[in-house]
Amino acid sequence: MRDSTRLETPRLVLRHWTDDDLDPMAAINADPEVMRWIRNGQPLDRDGTAERLATWRRHWDEHGFGLFALTLRDTGELAGFTGLAVPTFLPEILPNVEIGWRLARKHWGRGLATEAARAVLAHARDDLGMKHLVSIHQVGNEASARVMLKIGMRLDRETHDPALGTPLRVYAIDLTE
């Protein structure tokens, strides 16, 4: 079994969060375009990002998996995150585990989300023994939906965010095939 605290791809390193990640992740979360399709679309300030980082770290402790800090192999720059989470905000699909990603805008359109997501899929299957994953697409975020399709996911259902009423599509992949 590989070390589940670090995954590597040709261009990326996926690792656990450090205190040094707060400011670069806060900059990503402060970008309205990055946050446009995240929950209510509101950017997060530094304090909000600090709360999220704490939540993401607790998720790792509670579940043994979580969101990886996504860094560029050649520079070490934090580009965002990719990883696994329990989507408690959408109870109708529980107990599924969700694969998700968020990248700084300057890293969009380079295939980094797809590259990182493929590494996380392999990790979920090979290291964690997961058999099924979902990903949640806020309708309109076509770039994210394209990543879901590129990694082999297929539309499972259409639904709505129970808190916000926004339309969602749930994509799924069987990791046993």
Side-chain angles (χ1 to χ4, degrees):
M1 184 162 155
R2 289 183 305 187
D3 176 6
S4 67
T5 62
R6 183 181 177 94
L7 305 175
E8 296 187 16
T9 73
R11 298 182 292 169
L12 304 167
V13 174
L14 291 77
R15 59 163 174 76
H16 278 233
W17 297 94
T18 70
D19 292 340
D20 292 337
D21 295 324
L22 175 57
D23 288 330
M25 194 67 215
I28 294 168
N29 287 340
D31 183 334
E33 278 301 304
V34 169
M35 298 302 287
R36 178 179 178 196
W37 302 108
I38 309 299
R39 298 296 308 222
N40 66 3
Q42 294 300 305
L44 290 177
D45 62 14
R46 189 176 191 276
D47 290 341
T49 298
E51 290 173 16
R52 294 285 169 86
L53 284 174
T55 298
W56 299 340
R57 286 174 163 171
R58 276 194 309 275
H59 190 283
W60 273 99
D61 293 340
E62 293 170 11
H63 299 282
F65 60 83
L67 300 174
F68 289 98
L70 177 62
T71 62
L72 302 179
R73 182 189 281 273
D74 58 350
T75 65
E77 175 189 357
L78 183 74
F81 70 69
T82 306
L84 303 170
V86 177
T88 55
F89 78 96
L90 194 57
E92 74 182 74
I93 65 169
L94 294 176
N96 283 303
V97 173
E98 175 188 15
I99 183 170
W101 42 84
R102 181 179 311 157
L103 272 69
R105 190 173 0 162
K106 72 180 189 175
H107 298 298
W108 292 358
R110 297 173 46 203
L112 297 177
T114 302
E115 183 175 325
R118 285 182 175 139
V120 171
L121 281 179
H123 168 64
R125 181 190 61 236
D126 300 340
D127 301 329
L128 301 175
M130 293 182 177
K131 300 192 181 329
H132 183 83
L133 289 176
V134 298
S135 194
I136 301 164
H137 161 228
Q138 193 172 101
V139 174
N141 186 355
E142 297 313 311
S144 190
R146 281 192 298 276
V147 173
M148 294 170 198
L149 294 172
K150 285 179 187 175
I151 63 173
M153 302 189 103
R154 297 292 172 248
L155 182 63
D156 180 67
R157 73 177 72 186
E158 296 198 24
T159 189
H160 288 82
D161 184 310
L164 303 172
T166 53
L168 302 173
R169 290 187 181 125
V170 178
Y171 286 75
I173 188 168
D174 180 348
L175 299 176
T176 64
E177 294 179 349

